[in-house]
């Protein structure tokens, strides 16, 4: 007997987390640098949030980033990527910026966060998924990779 699930529920169950993580990494390796070149900005000017253990209510930011984002009025794509990152939790923001924009190794980023590599790998996968969710909502671009939905319905 087939169960009747709402579409949003099936959508979330059918996301292949591993393949989605690879696709988001590909997006930051291939598409994001091109967006930045077209916008005439250096992605290295984007800074990660401070991870000092103290809760913060606002997202990350610095004057260089704010100037870049202001300059991008007509180049909305880069702004949407930055906004999608800001809508992620602080740890995800840190991981996304340090790993994918600043191109630091997993070892360095995991050390900065104080996690072993295996635990950091889980957090990075979560951060990549969070970005895919956020970017889909903001830019209407779906970076998720889906498993076979027929397997979920049974």
């Amino acid at each position: 007997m087939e169960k009747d699930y709402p579409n949003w529920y099936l959508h979330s169950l059918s996301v292949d987390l591993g393949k989605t993580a690879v696709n988001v990494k590909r997006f930051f390796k291939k598409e994001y640098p091109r967006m930045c070149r077209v916008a005439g900005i250096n992605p290295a000017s984007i800074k990660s949030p401070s991870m000092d253990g103290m809760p913060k209510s606002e997202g990350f930011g610095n004057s260089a980033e704010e100037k870049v984002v202001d300059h991008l009025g007509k180049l909305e794509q880069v702004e949407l990527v930055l906004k999608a990152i800001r809508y992620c939790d602080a740890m995800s923001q840190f991981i996304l910026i340090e790993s994918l924009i600043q191109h630091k190794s997993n070892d360095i980023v995991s050390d900065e966060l104080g996690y072993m590599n295996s635990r950091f790998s889980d957090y990075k996968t979560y951060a990549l998924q969070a970005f895919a969710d956020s970017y889909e909502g903001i830019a209407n671009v779906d970076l998720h990779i889906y498993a076979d939905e027929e397997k979920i319905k049974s």
Side-chain angles (χ1 to χ4, degrees):
M1 183 172 160
E2 190 173 304
K3 297 179 182 176
D4 190 25
Y5 294 107
N7 285 340
W8 64 265
Y9 182 72
L10 289 176
H11 171 82
S12 66
L13 287 179
S14 66
V15 171
D16 184 316
L17 297 178
K19 290 180 181 177
T20 296
V22 169
N23 196 39
V24 171
K25 288 183 212 175
R26 182 206 52 80
F27 171 83
F28 276 99
K29 185 175 182 178
K30 303 279 184 182
E31 295 178 42
Y32 181 70
R34 182 178 188 288
M35 289 177 186
C36 290
R37 287 190 304 271
V38 170
I41 65 163
N42 179 358
S45 67
I46 309 304
K47 303 293 181 198
S48 62
S50 170
M51 294 300 295
D52 62 5
M54 297 302 294
K56 307 245 184 316
S57 60
E58 56 187 273
F60 69 89
N62 62 48
S63 61
E65 177 197 353
E66 290 165 6
K67 288 177 187 173
V68 169
V69 173
D70 289 342
H71 176 69
L72 296 176
K74 66 182 182 208
L75 297 165
E76 189 176 346
Q77 290 179 330
V78 174
E79 186 176 332
L80 292 174
V81 171
L82 297 175
K83 197 179 282 189
I85 291 171
R86 278 195 298 269
Y87 287 173
C88 295
D89 62 274
M91 186 179 301
S92 293
Q93 290 176 29
F94 187 85
I95 291 168
L96 293 166
I97 292 170
E98 296 296 306
S99 294
L100 303 176
I101 294 177
Q102 299 293 327
H103 304 291
K104 291 184 180 177
S105 72
N106 286 344
D107 289 337
I108 291 172
V109 179
S110 65
D111 284 347
E112 289 175 352
L113 289 171
Y115 289 109
M116 299 297 290
N117 284 342
S118 59
R119 188 69 178 137
F120 173 74
S121 178
D122 293 339
Y123 282 122
K124 186 171 181 180
T125 299
Y126 173 81
L128 295 166
Q129 182 66 41
F131 176 81
D133 294 343
S134 181
Y135 193 62
E136 180 180 13
I138 291 169
N140 201 24
V141 174
D142 192 358
L143 296 175
H144 298 96
I145 303 296
Y146 296 94
D148 184 357
E149 287 190 14
E150 290 304 312
K151 293 177 185 175
I152 296 166
K153 291 182 180 179
S154 56

